[in-house]
Amino acid sequence: MKELFLPPALSCEIGEIYASMATAYDEVAGILPLTCQGCPDNCCDSYFLHYTYSEWAYLWEGIRALDDARLDRILQQAKDYVEQSRVLIARGQRPQLMCPLNDQGLCGLYQHRLMICRTHGVPATLTRPDGQHLRFPGCFRCQEVVNTAYATEADAPTMDRTILYQRLAQLETRFLGGKKGLFPRIKLTIAEMIVAGPPKDIKTNRE
Ligand code: SF4
Ligand code: SF4
C-alpha cells in the first residue's frame, strides 16, 4: 500500500500548531514557574498513546531524514520497546520504558515530537466536543510547585488545550479527506509508529 505523506501545506500547518503549543506552554510554565531543568524524572518513559495519522506522518518526516546508522539504532530500540511493553501489559502493568527516540536523556527528534510530548507538564484544561470540561493537574513536579505557591489548584494558571486540539482535529480531517471514515482508529505508542513504518493509504473499491 502507498505511504501517506503530508502535503507541504499541511506539514507547514502542523508545525504552526506545534509552535502555538510551545508558546502556550511556555507562557504558563513561565508564570508558575516550572522548568524541566534539574528534574529527577524524565517524562520520555511515560506510556503515552497517540491517535492521529497526521502526527504519525509528521513524525516520519523527521525519521526519514535520519542517517542510516541512527535509523537502525532507533528501529532496534523501538522493536525492543514494543516487545517489552506487550509483556508488561499482559502482566497487567503500565509500561514505563524509555522512548526509542530519546538520546542520552534528550529528545532525538525534537522538531517532530508529538503533541503529548509538547503539552505534558503544566496544568491544562480541555473542553471536549460534548461540552465536558477536563482539568489536568500537570506533572508531579508541577503539582509540587502549585501546592507550594498557590492557595488552591484553581488559582494556578492553566494551558487551555481546546483550540489546539480542535486545530489538530481539523487538520486530520483535511489530511484523510473523503476516506477519513475508512481508516481504522489508531492508538499507538511512538515505538509502534516507528516499527509499523509510515502510515499507509487505504485502498477503496474505485481505485
Ligand atoms: S514535565 Fe515535569 S516531570 Fe517531566 S521532566 Fe519536566 S518537570 Fe520533570
Ligand atoms: S518523541 Fe521525544 S519528547 Fe517525545 S517521548 Fe520520545 S524522546 Fe521524549
Side-chain angles (χ1 to χ4, degrees):
M1 256 183 290
K2 261 193 334 185
E3 286 179 17
L4 272 181
F5 289 90
L6 275 171
L10 290 189
S11 174
C12 214
E13 202 177 316
I14 201 166
E16 285 165 12
I17 297 172
Y18 283 158
S20 302
M21 280 177 193
T23 305
Y25 184 100
D26 289 346
E27 228 169 72
V28 175
I31 299 170
L32 280 165
L34 175 75
T35 159
C36 294
Q37 227 159 22
C39 180
D41 200 2
N42 187 325
C43 292
C44 297
D45 66 5
S46 306
Y47 187 71
F48 289 136
L49 294 165
H50 309 273
Y51 302 90
T52 59
Y53 283 88
S54 40
E55 285 201 285
W56 184 1
Y58 192 71
L59 178 76
W60 264 91
E61 271 188 20
I63 293 174
R64 280 193 195 91
L66 296 173
D67 62 55
D68 288 350
R70 253 188 95 202
L71 181 57
D72 286 349
R73 199 169 62 242
I74 285 170
L75 262 175
Q76 190 51 54
Q77 286 168 184
K79 282 179 189 160
D80 294 344
Y81 183 110
V82 170
E83 214 171 281
Q84 290 169 30
S85 62
R86 284 184 185 156
V87 171
L88 291 168
I89 289 166
R91 283 192 208 142
Q93 295 169 12
R94 188 178 174 86
Q96 194 178 3
L97 301 164
M98 189 49 76
C99 172
L101 292 176
N102 190 288
D103 194 359
Q104 298 178 43
L106 297 174
C107 181
L109 213 60
Y110 195 73
Q111 297 304 326
H112 291 264
R113 72 198 195 283
L114 280 74
M115 179 181 68
I116 297 174
C117 308
R118 294 164 192 265
T119 53
H120 180 73
V122 299
T125 54
L126 173 71
T127 306
R128 293 195 339 186
D130 62 6
Q132 201 187 337
H133 192 66
L134 305 177
R135 189 186 168 94
F136 307 96
C139 67
F140 88 95
R141 202 179 194 207
C142 176
Q143 290 177 47
E144 285 174 4
V145 170
V146 169
N147 291 338
T148 310
Y150 296 87
T152 69
E153 238 185 60
D155 296 324
T158 56
M159 170 182 177
D160 187 4
R161 295 180 183 172
T162 311
I163 302 279
L164 298 163
Y165 280 26
Q166 283 170 352
R167 284 173 67 192
L168 195 59
Q170 284 161 7
L171 186 143
E172 178 82 348
T173 299
R174 277 184 284 139
F175 180 44
L176 300 181
K179 295 181 185 173
K180 186 169 184 246
L182 300 174
F183 281 90
R185 279 175 185 264
I186 51 163
K187 201 175 168 185
L188 298 170
T189 60
I190 287 176
E192 287 167 331
M193 286 178 163
I194 296 169
V195 171
K200 313 287 182 309
D201 204 354
I202 289 276
K203 227 177 170 4
T204 64
N205 292 337
R206 277 174 282 153
E207 288 172 316

